């Protein structure tokens, strides 16, 4: 492997690594715009120029691979000067409108200028002014802020595999432009806002909504489909302002689709259940958690006493966390002796959508079908079981905010003696329940999902659920306590530890060990 | 007058027809090559002749051909660069219109040397007539068996394709040209890899200027020693075309051996200055550093011009008299570069336009004392920091104009207006060819 000197320090890097990447990997920053590790190298912004002992010219470190024995200087006077002048060039037509730019605070033009630039410009002429363009979809192009790095153009060419953007005209009239007849409607489009190093590509969804430095970030996993992309939830005052992709080389690289990116709005519009409910004749009435849980545990205790556990069935969910599904199993299997476990999943939507880079948006729109099956088994057809009259008591854990219950299925549910449901929002299950428990959705709770490839990832709660709504694992831990006061689960980590001991697929896993990128199952 | 090899038939309307070319010994060189020489031998002969590229940089042609990997199983391509767009340059156009078979024969020999079976002639879009003449020449040569399958029974095949550009200066830069040839935007590529290793369609490709290629049959016919005996020394050899424009009595295209004295060319061959006295000469097309009137007693060859800080470039000699405002002249040049910059690299895209704005301001009389240093600094920050040499081509004139004519720039600032009495009467009526 080539060994070379970087600012006097000996560095070893894989052959074929660019000087820039090797520097970044060893913690030395070389400012850059056009370089992006996932995209073709074009070496055009010239910001990453460094000095090389065997070259009379400064070289673009993104386009020059490491070689044995070379000496690279990234902080010499010449390099500093070149950087300063390059930043001056970038700014001569830039409007300096940071105060009204959504990118401010996470803008590489701001950051680099602050670190490497000069505090004044020698340009006294009038700047070029161009109106902002609407590229369609959610994307605005603030053309005055563009640094012409062409990352956005290459994103479609290299990652998506279909060109949407191009550079129009040339020289200083160069302009990012969309091919005629196309709108920026591709599902992967939101990513270009993230990779644009400046505030040129702006997401209408976030436009003027918040200053980024006021947002808190919580690591999470997208529940939009069974790809399970790593995401960051960015929030303030118990409200999500935007979802950003989070790098995970084992899952989504650094991309997410727009279905996932804007998914949080769906939850904002839900009619939440608000309080635990119990049935009084035709009506559902609010009740306390204590009462709701005791109705359930009393009914289950009766089943147990009368040795009628075969009349009890449990439907877990591909939309619930492993911890929820696991506790469900623990209660009903270990404490009640039930052995009828099913997994609910919604029908897949269309085909999997695969783009050039291999990134896939799955047709299975549940985040945890894989995990739910590991814990509860493969059975899914609980409807015919109800139809056959084999079930009298049913605990239905859901989480799917798009669940559709047909009239026929409603009739079946009415046949049950007791229906307990645990749901995020009002739906037909809740309306037919004897007891309904309001549960948190993914952003309001912690837990883990297993994606379609068998990769377990954890996520943390970012928002507080509404006052009488609880995290799913918490509800089930409380229910468990009514049967077995000896064991108590204080945190979601306790549930994972217990699951690791009892479900072989999760052997040796702990909430801590899952880290940021998660683990592949066996 | 010295013997001429390019311009001697300029008054003959049939000079571009194959029959005329054949009557005068045309395609003999090709015949010799395909029948008697191995590709390697051709390369050695061209190396020995000392032929240097006429497209601007003066790279030895034979050496370049030698860079093509011999054992690569990829197809190889030859590209004739007929994009001629450098301001002040009009020599390739003459060859295309009047001596297309010299070029074609050169293309065929070069293709044989690098074992290319397809050659492209990338021709400037505005050369409508030249393109028509060239295409007819290709057809004639194919009909007579000098191009096409099994050329002169040698087993060597060559298809020559004429490809018209769409009017961008940057498509004359060899890698911009290749992108354009492939149907993409003419955005110059990062080098390495050089085209000889990875060029058109990712295959080994040699790009040569039209005049470079047109010299090749002469070398084969007369021998490399004959060729290298023309010119001042063994590094600057062969006959050479000089394009003279500007304030001389007889502007036009001239042919002399490499190393023609510039002063002699202007004052004797071109009949001297038109009206006023000489102020400056740009010797090698708009991209090279300017010479003052005191610097023109120089041999027009690669190394002599380099020794005084300029370049032979494309040998486009632009003569400027005292009625020329140097700020205005530089503004004119920089406007060209700003307009033609492909816009990929930051210093070229932003720097050229910035210089234009500053120059416009100085010319308007709103210059500031610090503007000259600023121009010089911008040029320095562009130079050698871009993907292709267009950045350098924009920077070099700026730096040299400011350095050599600083007083005139300062006079603009001091007076608050342009101090030069411009002569607007000149019209291009004295074409020599
Ligand atoms: C901006 C720019 C424009 C150029 N235009 C031309 C041109 O019009 N014709 C040409 O032969 N070479 C042109 N060149 C030089 C080519 O890149 C290349 O060096 C040349 O074609 C090589 O041929 P030669 O070795 O025979 O000189 C240009 C270079 C630059 C940087
Ligand atoms: S819009 Fe953004 S990503 Fe695209 S070229 Fe401009 S600065 Fe780069
Ligand atoms: S691909 Fe699936 S998991 Fe990834 S962001 Fe889109 S919806 Fe979410
Ligand atoms: S130097 Fe100018 S013309 Fe050449 S690649 Fe860069 S921007 Fe384009
Ligand atoms: S990051 Fe290297 S040139 Fe842009």
């Amino acid at each position: 492997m080539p060994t070379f000197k970087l600012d006097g320090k000996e560095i070893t890097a894989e052959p074929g690594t660019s000087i820039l990447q090797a520097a970044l990997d060893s913690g030395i920053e070389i400012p850059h715009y056009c370089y992006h590790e996932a995209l073709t190298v074009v070496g055009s912004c010239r910001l990453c120029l460094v000095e090389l002992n065997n070259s009379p010219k400064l070289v673009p470190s993104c386009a020059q691979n490491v070689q044995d024995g070379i000496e690279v200087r990234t902080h010499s006077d010449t390099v500093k000067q070149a950087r300063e002048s390059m930043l001056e060039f970038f700014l001569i037509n830039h409007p300096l409108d940071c105060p009204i730019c959504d990118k401010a605070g996470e803008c590489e033009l701001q950051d680099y200028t602050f670190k490497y630039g000069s505090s004044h410009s020698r340009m006294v002429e009038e700047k070029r002014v161009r109106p902002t363009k609407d590229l369609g979809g959610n994307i605005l192009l603030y053309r005055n802020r563009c640094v012409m790095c062409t990352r956005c153009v290459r994103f479609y060419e290299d990652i998506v595999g279909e060109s949407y953007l191009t550079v129009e005209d040339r020289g200083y009239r160069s302009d990012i432009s969309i091919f005629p007849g196309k709108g920026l409607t591709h599902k992967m489009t939101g990513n270009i806002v993230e990779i644009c190093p400046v505030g040129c590509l702006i997401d209408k969804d976030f436009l003027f909504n918040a200053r980024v430095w006021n947002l808190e970030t919580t690591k999470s996993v997208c529940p939009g489909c069974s790809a399970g992309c790593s995401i960051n939830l960015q929030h303030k005052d118990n409200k999500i302002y935007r979802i950003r992709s989070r790098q995970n080389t084992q899952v989504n690289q650094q991309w997410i689709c727009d279905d996932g990116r804007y998914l949080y709005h769906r939850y904002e519009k839900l009619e939440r259940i608000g309080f635990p409910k119990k049935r009084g004749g035709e009506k559902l009435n609010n009740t306390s958690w204590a009462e709701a849980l005791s109705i359930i545990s009393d009914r289950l205790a009766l089943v147990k006493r009368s040795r009628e556990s075969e009349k009890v069935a449990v439907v877990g969910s591909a939309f619930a966390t492993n911890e929820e599904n696991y506790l469900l199993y623990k209660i009903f299997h270990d404490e009640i002796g039930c052995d009828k476990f099913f997994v609910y999943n919604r029908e897949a939507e269309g085909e999997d959508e695969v783009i050039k880079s291999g990134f896939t948006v799955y047709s299975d729109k549940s985040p945890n079908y894989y995990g739910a099956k590991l814990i509860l088994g493969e059975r899914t057809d609980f409807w015919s079981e109800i139809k056959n009259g084999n079930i009298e008591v049913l605990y239905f854990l859901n989480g799917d905010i798009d669940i559709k219950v047909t009239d026929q299925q409603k009739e079946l549910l009415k046949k049950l003696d007791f229906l307990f449901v645990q749901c995020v929002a009002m739906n037909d299950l809740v309306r037919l329940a004897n007891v309904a428990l309001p549960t948190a959705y993914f952003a309001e709770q912690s837990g883990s999902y297993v994606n379609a490839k068998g990769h377990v990832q954890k996520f943390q709660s970012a928002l507080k659920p509404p006052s009488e709504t609880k995290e799913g694992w918490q509800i089930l831990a409380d229910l468990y306590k009514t049967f077995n006061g000896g064991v108590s689960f204080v945190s979601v980590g306790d549930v994972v530890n217990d699951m690791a001991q009892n479900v072989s697929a999760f052997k040796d896993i702990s909430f801590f060990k899952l880290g940021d990128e998660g683990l592949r199952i066996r | 007058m010295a013997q001429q090899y390019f311009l001697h038939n300029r008054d003959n309307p049939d000079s571009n027809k194959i029959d005329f070319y054949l009557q005068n010994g045309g395609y003999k060189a090709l015949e010799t090559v395909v029948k008697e020489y191995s590709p390697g031998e051709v390369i050695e002969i061209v190396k020995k002749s000392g032929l240097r590229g006429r497209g601007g940089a003066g790279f030895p042609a034979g050496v370049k051909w030698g860079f093509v990997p011999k054992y690569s199983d990829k197809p190889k391509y030859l590209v004739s660069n007929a994009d001629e767009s450098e301001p002040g340059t009009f020599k390739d156009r003459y060859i295309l219109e009047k001596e297309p078979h010299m070029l074609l024969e050169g293309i065929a020999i070069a293709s044989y040397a690098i074992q290319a079976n397809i050659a492209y002639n990338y021709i400037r879009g505005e050369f409508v007539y030249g393109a028509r003449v060239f295409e007819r020449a290709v057809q004639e040569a194919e009909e007579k068996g000098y191009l096409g399958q099994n050329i002169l029974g040698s087993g060597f095949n060559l298809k020559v394709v004429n490809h018209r550009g769409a009017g961008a200066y940057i498509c004359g830069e060899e890698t911009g040209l290749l992108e354009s040839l492939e149907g993409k935007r003419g955005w110059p590529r990062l080098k390495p890899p050089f085209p000889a290793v990875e060029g058109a369609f990712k295959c080994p490709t040699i790009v040569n200027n039209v005049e470079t290629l047109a010299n090749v049959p002469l070398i084969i016919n007369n021998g490399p020693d004959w060729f290298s005996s023309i010119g001042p020394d063994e590094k600057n050899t062969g006959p050479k075309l000089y394009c003279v424009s500007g304030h001389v009595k007889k502007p036009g295209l001239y042919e002399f051996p490499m190393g023609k004295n510039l002063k002699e060319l202007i004052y004797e061959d071109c009949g001297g200055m038109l009206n006023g006295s000489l102020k400056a000469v740009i010797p090698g097309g708009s991209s090279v550093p300017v010479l003052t009137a005191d610097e023109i007693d120089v041999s027009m060859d690669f190394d002599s011009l380099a020794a005084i800080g300029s370049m032979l470039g494309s040998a486009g000699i632009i003569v400027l008299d005292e009625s020329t405002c140097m700020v205005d002249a530089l503004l004119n040049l920089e406007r060209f570069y700003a307009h033609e910059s492909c816009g990929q690299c930051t210093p070229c895209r932003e720097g050229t336009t910035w210089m234009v704005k500053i120059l416009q301001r100085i010319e308007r009389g709103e210059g500031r004392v610090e503007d000259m240093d600023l121009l010089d600094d911008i040029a320095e920050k562009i130079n050698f920091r871009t993907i292709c040499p267009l950045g350098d081509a924009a920077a070099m004139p700026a730096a040299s104009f400011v350095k050599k004519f600083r007083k005139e720039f300062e006079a603009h600032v001091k007076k608050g207006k342009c101090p030069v009495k411009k002569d607007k009467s000149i019209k291009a009526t004295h074409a020599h060819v």
Side-chain angles (χ1 to χ4, degrees):
Chain A
M1 284 211 291
T3 301
F4 68 106
K5 276 211 175 116
L6 195 59
D7 295 329
K9 215 169 89 183
E10 288 256 314
I11 303 264
T12 304
E14 291 284 337
T17 314
S18 64
I19 294 174
L20 175 55
Q21 192 59 52
L24 296 177
D25 292 346
S26 61
I28 293 180
E29 180 179 77
I30 299 177
H32 58 277
Y33 287 137
C34 65
Y35 177 76
H36 187 283
E37 58 179 340
L39 306 176
T40 329
V41 173
V42 288
S44 64
C45 74
R46 315 309 277 182
L47 186 56
C48 72
L49 296 179
V50 295
E51 236 182 315
L52 210 63
N53 65 326
N54 59 5
S55 163
K57 289 192 195 181
L58 296 176
V59 300
S61 57
C62 64
Q64 188 89 26
N65 285 351
V66 296
Q67 279 164 11
D68 215 30
I70 53 169
E71 286 173 34
V72 183
R73 261 162 301 171
T74 73
H75 283 93
S76 65
D77 286 347
T78 327
V79 173
K80 281 188 193 155
Q81 227 184 45
R83 263 177 209 166
E84 193 182 303
S85 67
M86 221 55 81
L87 287 162
E88 187 180 30
F89 283 137
F90 281 119
L91 286 174
I92 62 172
N93 282 307
H94 187 282
L96 302 175
D97 56 347
C98 311
I100 53 149
C101 176
D102 279 335
K103 194 80 170 188
E106 55 181 13
C107 169
E108 287 167 34
L109 190 54
Q110 269 188 335
D111 294 350
Y112 290 158
T113 304
F114 187 71
K115 279 196 216 165
Y116 309 108
S118 157
S119 55
H120 79 288
S121 167
R122 294 173 296 171
M123 162 103 164
V124 295
E125 338 296 328
E126 255 183 46
K127 295 190 178 205
R128 175 191 58 208
V129 180
R130 300 160 147 179
T132 295
K133 267 201 291 210
D134 189 332
L135 294 180
N138 267 344
I139 309 296
L140 292 173
L141 183 79
Y142 279 79
R143 293 147 87 207
N144 295 331
R145 300 176 187 152
C146 184
V147 294
M148 263 310 138
C149 67
T150 70
R151 281 188 189 181
C152 53
V153 174
R154 282 173 289 143
F155 172 78
Y156 286 104
E157 287 167 2
D158 298 348
I159 306 297
V160 175
E162 189 186 342
S163 289
Y164 276 74
L165 295 177
T166 187
V167 179
E168 196 177 282
D169 216 320
R170 65 173 185 235
Y172 97 120
R173 298 172 313 282
S174 302
D175 196 9
I176 295 298
S177 183
I178 186 160
F179 285 109
K182 285 203 174 188
L184 273 193
T185 48
H186 193 280
K187 220 171 230 191
M188 298 301 286
T189 289
N191 293 297
I192 61 175
V193 176
E194 293 198 35
I195 61 171
C196 178
V198 296
C200 183
L201 292 166
I202 292 289
D203 193 332
K204 290 177 205 164
D205 190 60
F206 184 63
L207 186 67
F208 304 140
N209 274 357
R211 307 277 23 188
V212 297
W213 56 86
N214 290 328
L215 297 178
E216 247 182 280
T217 298
T218 304
K219 291 174 183 146
S220 187
V221 174
C222 176
C225 81
S226 54
C229 296
S230 289
I231 55 173
N232 278 324
L233 302 175
Q234 299 202 296
H235 50 99
K236 185 179 76 152
D237 304 333
N238 214 38
K239 177 173 152 48
I240 294 180
Y241 278 79
R242 63 177 184 180
I243 289 180
R244 305 278 275 184
S245 70
R246 176 160 64 86
Q247 182 145 354
N248 188 338
T249 46
Q250 306 198 63
V251 180
N252 53 320
Q253 304 303 330
Q254 48 209 307
W255 318 119
I256 60 172
C257 79
D258 287 354
D259 294 350
R261 187 177 298 275
Y262 306 118
L263 188 66
Y264 68 99
H265 290 307
R266 301 281 325 279
Y267 295 90
E268 290 167 345
K269 297 192 187 100
L270 294 176
E271 182 196 345
R272 301 297 289 268
I273 303 167
F275 285 88
K277 309 241 185 225
K278 66 170 187 186
R279 181 156 300 279
E282 284 298 293
K283 276 182 64 190
L284 276 178
N285 301 315
N286 291 348
T287 179
S288 68
W289 277 101
E291 197 190 355
L293 290 181
S294 73
I295 296 172
I296 300 172
S297 68
D298 287 353
R299 185 66 186 87
L300 294 176
L302 182 66
V303 167
K304 195 174 166 184
R305 270 200 311 278
S306 48
R307 300 180 193 283
E308 289 177 324
S309 59
E310 78 279 355
K311 291 184 180 157
V312 180
V314 173
V315 181
S317 174
F319 292 85
T321 64
N322 293 321
E323 295 68 23
E324 292 171 283
N325 285 324
Y326 173 69
L327 285 177
L328 206 52
Y329 184 83
K330 193 169 176 79
I331 295 166
F332 285 87
H333 181 269
D334 297 4
E335 299 302 327
I336 314 297
C338 160
D339 66 356
K340 281 194 187 124
F341 292 94
F342 299 88
V343 175
Y344 163 85
N345 195 2
R346 205 193 313 150
E347 198 128 304
E349 288 171 20
E351 303 272 302
D352 290 352
E353 297 163 75
V354 191
I355 58 170
K356 184 178 176 187
S357 71
F359 182 98
T360 305
V361 184
Y362 285 83
S363 54
D364 176 355
K365 299 299 176 194
S366 74
N368 197 27
Y369 194 30
Y370 197 120
K373 286 190 293 184
L374 285 174
I375 295 162
L376 300 170
E378 303 276 337
R379 295 175 72 186
T380 53
D381 188 13
F382 50 91
W383 294 114
S384 47
E385 201 75 0
I386 303 175
K387 197 173 180 180
N388 297 340
N390 296 336
I391 302 174
E392 284 176 14
V393 177
L394 181 68
Y395 193 102
F396 202 143
L397 165 65
N398 203 264
D400 178 7
I401 57 171
D402 289 316
I403 186 173
K404 291 203 176 55
V405 186
T406 62
D407 288 346
Q408 220 178 357
Q409 289 166 342
K410 278 183 213 161
E411 288 311 310
L412 291 175
L413 291 173
K414 282 181 194 157
K415 281 170 59 181
L416 295 167
D417 210 12
F418 263 89
L419 173 62
F420 303 126
V421 306
Q422 184 178 332
C423 280
V424 170
M426 279 309 284
N427 58 29
D428 288 334
L429 291 182
V430 174
R431 282 180 205 105
L432 292 170
N434 295 82
V435 175
L437 306 174
T439 192
Y441 71 87
F442 82 100
E444 298 167 341
Q445 67 175 346
S446 303
S448 67
Y449 292 143
V450 186
N451 78 0
K453 291 195 170 143
H455 198 80
V456 204
Q457 293 178 88
K458 71 172 176 194
F459 55 95
Q460 309 270 10
S461 74
L463 309 180
K464 271 207 198 69
S467 63
E468 288 301 314
T469 300
K470 288 188 184 177
E471 292 192 42
W473 70 268
Q474 185 72 61
I475 296 170
L476 291 158
D478 290 347
L479 183 59
Y480 181 73
K481 224 191 271 173
T482 62
F483 294 101
N484 187 342
V487 185
S488 81
F489 298 100
V490 177
S491 72
V492 77
D494 294 345
V495 185
V496 177
N497 290 340
D498 197 61
M499 182 167 73
Q501 282 176 24
N502 296 308
V503 184
S504 62
F506 293 96
K507 197 169 172 314
D508 293 335
I509 282 176
S510 74
F511 207 58
F512 176 76
K513 276 192 206 155
L514 285 175
D516 289 345
E517 297 210 336
L519 295 167
R520 194 58 57 109
I521 280 195
R522 264 176 305 152
Chain B
M1 185 177 273
Q3 170 82 43
Q4 294 195 325
Y5 303 92
F6 293 93
L7 302 187
H8 55 303
N9 295 321
R10 64 171 172 267
D11 296 327
N12 188 322
D14 289 330
S15 68
N16 55 23
K17 309 239 166 74
I18 197 162
D19 292 336
F20 181 84
Y21 189 62
L22 289 172
Q23 277 156 30
N24 292 281
Y27 288 108
K28 283 248 169 56
L30 177 62
E31 192 167 352
T32 314
V33 162
V34 295
K35 290 192 172 152
E36 292 172 27
Y37 297 147
S38 71
E41 281 166 343
V42 180
I43 294 178
E44 282 315 307
I45 292 171
V46 173
K47 272 187 194 165
K48 203 162 165 233
S49 75
L51 171 64
R52 287 170 71 170
R54 303 319 198 211
F59 195 83
V63 177
K64 197 196 279 186
W65 298 0
F67 290 153
V68 172
K70 277 194 200 61
Y71 303 107
S72 158
D73 51 9
K74 288 182 180 171
K76 289 145 196 106
Y77 297 103
L78 183 93
V79 176
S80 151
N81 189 343
D83 193 54
E84 187 168 67
S85 324
E86 175 87 352
T89 312
F90 37 84
K91 61 193 181 62
D92 300 340
R93 176 180 177 182
Y94 174 87
I95 296 174
L96 290 159
E97 292 179 359
K98 300 290 290 182
E99 295 289 355
H101 286 289
M102 279 181 88
L103 172 59
L104 266 179
E105 193 175 3
I107 288 175
I109 297 169
S111 299
Y112 177 79
I114 63 163
Q115 290 291 292
N117 300 116
I118 295 179
Y120 294 97
N121 185 50
Y122 188 97
I123 187 166
R124 175 177 172 159
E126 292 88 339
F127 287 175
V128 178
Y129 176 64
R132 214 184 305 139
V133 173
F134 184 83
E135 276 165 23
R136 190 186 59 200
V138 171
Q139 204 184 339
E140 287 175 335
E142 277 176 357
E143 282 163 8
K144 291 249 180 333
Y146 297 110
L147 293 179
Q149 297 294 309
N150 191 17
I151 293 171
L152 302 169
S154 65
F156 175 60
N157 307 326
L158 180 65
K159 171 104 191 118
V160 177
V161 180
N162 193 39
H163 184 104
R164 291 185 57 198
Y169 173 60
I170 196 56
C171 292
E173 194 282 334
E174 55 186 5
T175 56
L177 183 158
L178 294 173
E179 287 286 298
S180 167
L181 190 65
E182 290 179 7
K184 306 178 194 147
R185 282 176 71 86
W187 270 4
R189 299 174 181 169
L190 282 173
K191 290 182 251 186
F194 288 93
V197 177
E198 198 180 301
F201 313 108
K202 291 202 175 341
C203 296
T205 303
I206 290 295
V207 183
N208 271 130
N209 172 256
V210 163
E211 186 189 352
T212 314
L213 291 165
N215 267 297
V216 173
L218 299 174
I219 296 171
I220 301 296
N221 284 333
N222 303 303
D225 296 332
W226 164 82
F227 193 87
S228 64
S229 72
I230 302 173
D233 56 41
E234 73 286 358
K235 287 201 170 129
N236 298 276
T237 63
K240 182 74 194 93
L241 294 172
Y242 301 94
C243 326
V244 186
S245 60
H247 299 131
V248 290
K249 288 214 172 80
K250 288 195 287 174
L253 185 62
Y254 291 86
E255 178 183 347
F256 291 104
M258 179 68 81
K260 172 76 179 169
N261 182 282
L262 178 57
K263 193 169 183 180
E264 218 176 271
L265 178 62
I266 294 174
Y267 285 102
E268 291 170 22
D269 302 284
C270 296
M273 299 303 291
L274 191 60
N275 296 318
S277 60
L278 180 67
K279 187 186 248 180
V281 179
I282 302 171
S286 60
S287 307
V288 310
V290 65
L291 303 177
T292 63
D294 301 336
E295 291 174 310
I296 64 161
D297 193 3
V298 62
S299 160
M300 286 290 293
D301 65 70
F302 296 107
D303 296 326
S304 305
L305 280 162
I308 60 165
S310 188
M311 289 165 74
L312 179 62
S314 62
I317 298 161
I318 304 168
V319 183
L320 307 173
D321 76 7
E322 60 190 358
S323 71
T324 313
C325 165
M326 295 308 274
V327 175
D328 198 27
L330 181 60
L331 170 58
N332 191 8
L333 290 182
E334 294 305 341
R335 212 187 277 126
F336 172 78
Y337 290 108
H339 186 259
E340 297 298 332
S341 161
C342 83
Q344 267 188 106
C345 359
T346 313
C348 173
R349 179 184 64 239
E350 305 295 340
T352 50
T353 343
W354 189 6
M355 290 199 291
V356 167
K357 288 184 176 171
I358 295 169
L359 288 163
Q360 281 171 332
R361 191 160 45 72
I362 299 177
E363 183 61 6
R364 274 202 311 270
E366 293 163 26
R368 305 166 308 161
V369 212
E370 61 266 39
D371 283 336
M372 277 61 79
D373 286 342
L374 180 55
L375 279 170
D376 192 52
D377 192 59
I378 295 172
E380 187 189 317
K381 299 294 161 45
I382 300 173
N383 209 10
F384 289 142
R385 291 179 185 179
T386 54
I387 293 181
C388 92
L390 188 141
D392 311 346
M396 284 188 294
S400 68
F401 270 61
V402 172
K403 183 166 164 230
K404 294 183 180 176
F405 297 92
R406 196 173 179 110
K407 288 227 164 62
E408 197 174 317
F409 280 72
E410 283 167 354
H412 277 75
V413 175
K414 258 189 226 128
K415 289 216 169 98
K417 61 174 192 166
C418 176
V420 182
K421 243 181 86 196
K422 290 172 193 154
D423 179 356
K424 310 248 175 180
S425 68
I426 308 147
K427 300 209 171 65
T429 51
H430 309 269
H432 171 68
V433 173

